[in-house]
Amino acid sequence: MKKKDLIRISLEGLNSNKLRTFLTMLGIIFGVASVISMVSIGEGARQETLEQIELLGSNNIIVKKNSITEEENKKAFFSSGLTLKDSEAILQICPYIKSITVQRENTEKAGYKSKIIETKIIGTTPNYYLTFNSKLSEGKFFNKYHNDNYKNVCVLGAGIKDKLFNYENPINKKIKIGYGWFTVIGVISSKKDGGETSSEIRNFNDDIYIPISTMFYKMPKNKVSEENQRNSRNNVANAVDRISIDQLTIKVFEDNQIFETASLIKRILLRKHYGVEDFQIIIPEAIIEQKQKTQSIFNVVMGAIAGISLLVGGIGIMNIMLANILERTKEIGIRRAVGATQTNILYQFMYEALIISLIGGNIGTIIGFILTSIITKYAGWRTLITPYSVVVAFFVSMAVGVGFGLYPAKKAAEKDPIESLRYE
């Protein structure tokens, strides 16, 4: 018997009881939809982790100023907190350091024409651009000349640019920050928002970046005293080296040097701060690794749930096929009597199982796409559907059809024709 005839007979058999066929498909439909949606959640989380690594820098160590306990407060009189001098000491002693970026943060009002927005002003050094793997969508980042000469220039985050300028080109336009006017020389491309729950990863798109020397000398909250300015006009570092800063970002040459360098930095700072741990050392790589471990456990659990759905679908196929064979025993006997072979009967019922899996797999794929969109929209989780997940889900559903359809089909093929004809 030709293959197309066997497929036609299988379709007729399924079509004769549409409700039973549909109910049999449900397990496959939900199983495939679960696999696609769960894998898309895991892939979205993986992509987010990669972006966070790029955002923070895989070779970076972050040192932030930290609040201290009452007991430590007694010693804190001797500590100046986190300062520029700390960065100089770390750079001189640590052999693995490629660069150090200094940051000081303030909240100020920024205005352009009639628009005024309260935002973060980041005083930093020219190497910030490279340390955090930033990309410029417009203009340039400030350089050593701007920093050494306390120039009133700034670089905008993508978010603050949109809020102040909309579609207008901001380059060379002047904005008011606090009480001073600053010329916009660049715009940083949009960066991933780390979310409200993360203390290490936040939304950088609403920040404005200015030279740290300009912040120290010209911003009202950070101004160096007039006496220091007069005594240190030729040496910026001496004038500001005891002014507290919010963060140091240390970039090392190689990934395998991070933990050793972090340990050395801690010892240096404790010695300089007279044993007061008024700083916090953050290793982004360690944070990301922990997050990846947690995500892996989540992915395994979600994958197991999706796998169970497919298993239940497969068992449903087997049960319905066995019931189907029992009801169609006489039909099997007649077909054998008129010349159908055991192989023909085997293929007939195998095709029925495959057709159920094929149609169920296609419907499940469509529902998987819809379910993923719903998860993204209402749960706020990032999802990413990959061709790999769709192909895997589809072929797994086919394998389930073959695996769980083989036993019923084999049992139908092995039925005795005489006994089948006598069956009522």
Side-chain angles (χ1 to χ4, degrees):
M1 187 175 287
K2 293 181 179 179
K3 188 184 292 185
K4 64 179 182 180
D5 293 325
L6 288 171
I7 293 173
R8 178 179 53 78
I9 293 168
S10 299
L11 287 169
E12 287 173 358
L14 294 172
N15 194 49
S16 64
N17 200 327
K18 295 185 181 67
L19 180 59
R20 178 187 290 174
T21 301
F22 175 71
L23 292 174
T24 308
M25 284 180 189
L26 280 180
I28 297 297
I29 290 170
F30 289 131
V32 170
S34 298
V35 168
I36 290 173
S37 57
M38 293 303 104
V39 171
S40 70
I41 291 171
E43 187 61 28
R46 190 186 72 83
Q47 191 66 31
E48 194 172 62
T49 299
L50 291 175
E51 287 179 359
Q52 289 171 355
I53 291 172
E54 184 181 354
L55 187 64
L56 291 176
S58 60
N59 288 16
N60 288 351
I61 299 167
I62 297 171
V63 182
K64 302 181 91 168
K65 70 176 183 181
N66 197 18
S67 57
I68 55 177
T69 64
E70 289 183 14
E71 190 174 327
E72 289 174 319
N73 196 42
K74 297 173 185 176
K75 303 179 190 175
F77 177 79
F78 301 101
S79 173
S80 302
L82 204 59
T83 66
L84 286 181
K85 263 195 170 181
D86 292 328
S87 68
E88 293 170 6
I90 291 169
L91 194 58
Q92 287 172 4
I93 297 170
C94 292
Y96 305 132
I97 293 177
K98 186 175 182 180
S99 65
I100 294 184
T101 300
V102 178
Q103 284 176 242
R104 170 89 180 230
E105 298 181 8
N106 268 339
T107 301
E108 295 280 0
K109 288 182 179 178
Y112 176 70
K113 294 182 179 177
S114 61
K115 295 178 183 176
I116 300 174
I117 297 171
E118 191 170 78
T119 189
K120 276 194 181 298
I121 309 300
I122 311 295
T124 188
T125 45
N127 57 356
Y128 175 95
Y129 174 67
L130 299 174
T131 301
F132 288 96
N133 303 315
S134 300
K135 295 179 181 177
L136 291 168
S137 59
E138 300 173 57
K140 61 184 179 181
F141 205 79
F142 54 80
N143 54 34
K144 189 175 183 297
Y145 169 79
H146 296 122
N147 195 51
D148 289 349
N149 293 279
Y150 336 128
K151 293 296 182 181
N152 283 28
V153 293
C154 66
V155 178
L156 308 180
I160 201 74
K161 179 256 181 182
D162 292 339
K163 290 174 184 176
L164 288 178
F165 291 91
N166 291 329
Y167 298 103
E168 188 177 345
N169 183 5
I171 303 302
N172 295 326
K173 300 286 195 320
K174 290 188 179 293
I175 63 172
K176 192 172 186 180
I177 302 175
Y179 296 99
W181 290 91
F182 286 73
T183 302
V184 179
I185 61 171
V187 177
I188 293 180
S189 299
S190 180
K191 292 185 175 184
K192 172 65 184 170
D193 183 353
E196 297 177 0
T197 58
S198 174
S199 60
E200 288 79 32
I201 309 169
R202 61 180 175 81
N203 189 358
F204 293 89
N205 294 320
D206 288 343
D207 293 342
I208 297 178
Y209 304 90
I210 66 173
I212 195 163
S213 61
T214 305
M215 174 174 274
F216 285 154
Y217 276 99
K218 295 185 177 180
M219 301 289 285
K221 293 179 184 177
N222 301 281
K223 267 192 175 181
V224 179
S225 68
E226 292 296 327
E227 182 182 354
N228 275 342
Q229 288 191 51
R230 285 194 300 271
N231 295 338
S232 310
R233 290 189 185 280
N234 297 323
N235 194 334
V236 175
N238 287 340
V240 298
D241 60 10
R242 292 188 64 80
I243 293 178
S244 78
I245 56 178
D246 294 309
Q247 180 174 311
L248 292 172
T249 305
I250 297 103
K251 195 175 192 70
V252 299
F253 287 103
E254 301 293 339
D255 292 347
N256 57 11
Q257 298 166 343
I258 287 179
F259 292 97
E260 185 181 348
T261 305
S263 177
L264 181 56
I265 289 168
K266 185 173 183 177
R267 292 199 298 272
I268 293 168
L269 292 179
L270 282 173
R271 189 176 71 246
K272 286 185 64 61
H273 293 208
Y274 301 94
V276 180
E277 198 165 341
D278 51 1
F279 57 89
Q280 177 188 10
I281 296 179
I282 300 164
I283 303 175
E285 185 185 25
I287 296 167
I288 298 301
E289 280 179 5
Q290 183 57 46
K291 185 172 181 180
Q292 282 179 318
K293 286 177 184 176
T294 305
Q295 188 61 45
S296 296
I297 294 169
F298 176 79
N299 289 345
V300 169
V301 172
M302 292 297 101
I305 293 170
I308 289 169
S309 299
L310 275 175
L311 183 63
V312 170
I315 293 170
I317 289 176
M318 181 182 285
N319 286 337
I320 297 298
M321 292 293 290
L322 287 170
N324 210 9
I325 288 164
L326 191 63
E327 286 184 3
R328 295 162 66 185
T329 300
K330 195 163 188 177
E331 176 195 327
I332 293 168
I334 293 170
R335 291 201 61 225
R336 289 296 308 278
V338 296
T341 65
Q342 281 191 344
T343 304
N344 293 148
I345 301 298
L346 177 71
Y347 282 164
Q348 175 190 337
F349 286 97
M350 280 296 296
Y351 285 146
E352 287 188 17
L354 279 171
I355 290 167
I356 289 172
S357 298
L358 183 64
I359 297 173
N362 278 294
I363 296 172
T365 300
I366 295 167
I367 292 176
F369 276 83
I370 295 169
L371 191 59
T372 300
S373 300
I374 292 171
I375 290 169
T376 303
K377 185 175 181 180
Y378 293 102
W381 294 354
R382 181 170 182 177
T383 56
L384 182 64
I385 295 177
T386 60
Y388 168 78
S389 65
V390 176
V391 170
V392 167
F394 189 77
F395 277 101
V396 167
S397 71
M398 295 296 291
V400 166
V402 172
F404 285 91
L406 183 60
Y407 174 71
K410 190 171 181 295
K411 192 170 181 181
E414 291 173 351
K415 277 186 174 292
D416 183 84
I418 304 300
E419 293 297 325
S420 298
L421 284 169
R422 290 176 180 171
Y423 183 82
E424 292 295 339

